[in-house]
Amino acid sequence: MLNDVVITGNNGTIDGVGSIWWRSFTSHSLNYSRPHLIELVASNSVVVSNITFLNTPAYGIHPVYCSNVHIHNISISAPSESPFTVGIVPDSSDNVCIEDCTISMGFDAIALKSGWDEYGIAYGRPTKNVHIRRVHLQSSSGSTLAFGSDMSGGISNVLVEHVHLYNSKTGIVFRTTRGRGGYMKEIVISDIEMENIYRAIAATGHCGSHPDDKFDPNALPHLDQIILKNMTGTNITIAGTFSGLEESPFTNICLSNLNFSLNSMSPFTWECSNVSGFSESVVPKPCLDLETPSVSYTACSSMLSNRAKATTQASYSSA
């Protein structure tokens, strides 16, 4: 519950010395969760800038229930073998701007979250109005840019642009599962350059654990109104996989101007189930599920244009 927080330095370093935590986590000898390097809760007007973060035990920067967060000109890294380390995790927070950062982690580089199962549904605070731009992201076992799987409070109105993703297992992923509830919608990701990525794009409704057995299996998540445009990729193994839930398919997935150069190891180009959308100027050609005649890219783009503008304005005001 802080207001006006600035954490900055002339490229000073915060080293979490995470190796002891990683060993304990891997050996299952921890009886509690691992710490993060910076965690701010229920705070407003937060700036984190001009610092190098090394070897976090878990997350590098974790704003929870925060508003007006500006993270810029920072570097975050942890070794590729560090288990489930994540760089920046906006969690049930709004008006967040992340720009001009370099992040290299063991699991995810940036992950947007908003609560876990019945607890996230009950609290009901979404992550929204997020602008991510001019960042260089690398991850080893997870994804460079992730949404979920803890998204029970909802994630919406997100703009990601001018991003470099490299040397990673997955470029962009949307994760969720039965029992999450919530939604991921009104998300625009554009002007992305990928290099040496195994799977460029993924969305799955079958990923994530539960905190206990009290979750409602009928609380179905929704993935809707997603625009992915102006992307290039070299040395990609799989262009994309979309696996929605039969009871809650992924809808209005719009792909435009994607060009992925696949390597010789590719077992397939695209794989889809329980998803619908529209595509234009996509190489290699996507699944038929993403060529739904009733969904037009023009309509999808028009539907999101005002929200994208609002996100941009919010990010500038947070700066």
Side-chain angles (χ1 to χ4, degrees):
M1 304 197 61
L2 303 177
N3 190 59
D4 278 337
V5 179
V6 178
I7 301 174
T8 188
N10 187 18
N11 198 33
T13 299
I14 297 176
D15 191 334
V17 195
S19 57
I20 187 171
W21 295 95
W22 306 331
R23 287 194 297 270
S24 297
F25 179 84
T26 303
S27 65
H28 305 287
S29 59
L30 284 177
N31 296 319
Y32 36 79
S33 60
R34 294 173 294 169
H36 313 306
L37 290 188
I38 293 180
E39 184 172 66
L40 292 149
V41 182
S43 298
N44 181 57
S45 296
V46 174
V47 174
V48 183
S49 66
N50 305 318
I51 302 178
T52 294
F53 297 90
L54 301 176
N55 303 316
T56 177
Y59 299 167
I61 303 173
H62 187 210
V64 192
Y65 314 138
C66 290
S67 297
N68 303 311
V69 178
H70 188 199
I71 300 170
H72 67 102
N73 195 31
I74 64 162
S75 171
I76 308 179
S77 63
S80 60
E81 67 275 12
S82 58
F84 295 99
T85 53
V86 185
I88 302 175
V89 186
D91 196 344
S92 292
S93 295
D94 60 272
N95 295 336
V96 177
C97 178
I98 301 170
E99 59 184 346
D100 302 312
C101 297
T102 299
I103 304 172
S104 178
M105 305 301 295
F107 192 61
D108 292 339
I110 296 176
L112 277 61
K113 300 179 180 291
S114 69
W116 201 4
D117 286 3
E118 67 272 19
Y119 305 105
I121 294 171
Y123 197 79
R125 176 156 180 175
T127 286
K128 62 181 182 179
N129 303 336
V130 178
H131 192 180
I132 300 170
R133 61 186 174 184
R134 299 190 307 269
V135 292
H136 301 268
L137 307 179
Q138 188 274 332
S139 67
S140 295
S141 60
S143 180
T144 52
L145 178 64
F147 298 80
S149 73
D150 305 345
M151 37 64 69
S152 301
I155 298 172
S156 67
N157 199 17
V158 178
L159 174 61
V160 181
E161 59 182 345
H162 304 294
V163 171
H164 178 218
L165 314 177
Y166 63 99
N167 299 349
S168 301
K169 180 179 179 181
T170 305
I172 300 162
V173 68
F174 299 87
R175 306 184 184 113
T176 188
T177 192
R178 290 178 180 85
R180 285 290 191 267
Y183 54 82
M184 294 183 280
K185 64 180 183 179
E186 301 161 11
I187 296 170
V188 179
I189 304 176
S190 70
D191 299 286
I192 308 298
E193 178 188 356
M194 300 189 193
E195 297 177 89
N196 308 323
I197 304 286
Y198 179 77
R199 189 187 318 262
I201 302 167
T204 175
H206 309 276
C207 178
S209 59
H210 303 284
D212 51 43
D213 59 2
K214 298 177 183 177
F215 72 94
D216 178 5
N218 295 316
L220 299 175
H222 297 278
L223 182 68
D224 183 49
Q225 302 172 37
I226 310 296
I227 289 182
L228 306 169
K229 63 179 183 176
N230 302 337
M231 299 185 184
T232 62
T234 57
N235 194 25
I236 307 297
T237 303
I238 297 172
T241 58
F242 292 85
S243 178
L245 296 169
E246 185 176 355
E247 314 93 309
S248 183
F250 299 159
T251 53
N252 293 319
I253 310 299
C254 299
L255 311 181
S256 176
N257 192 28
L258 311 185
N259 193 322
F260 298 133
S261 175
L262 302 188
N263 58 41
S264 60
M265 302 298 293
S266 178
F268 55 86
T269 57
W270 297 84
E271 189 173 64
C272 302
S273 62
N274 300 311
V275 61
S276 63
F278 177 83
S279 61
E280 63 177 7
S281 303
V282 176
V283 178
K285 187 176 180 179
C287 347
L288 292 176
D289 311 63
L290 297 173
E291 296 180 347
T292 309
S294 60
V295 180
S296 75
Y297 179 77
T298 302
C300 218
S301 181
S302 174
M303 180 172 50
L304 291 178
S305 61
N306 290 335
R307 296 186 178 97
K309 290 176 183 176
T311 303
T312 303
Q313 292 168 356
S315 69
Y316 278 115
S317 64
S318 71

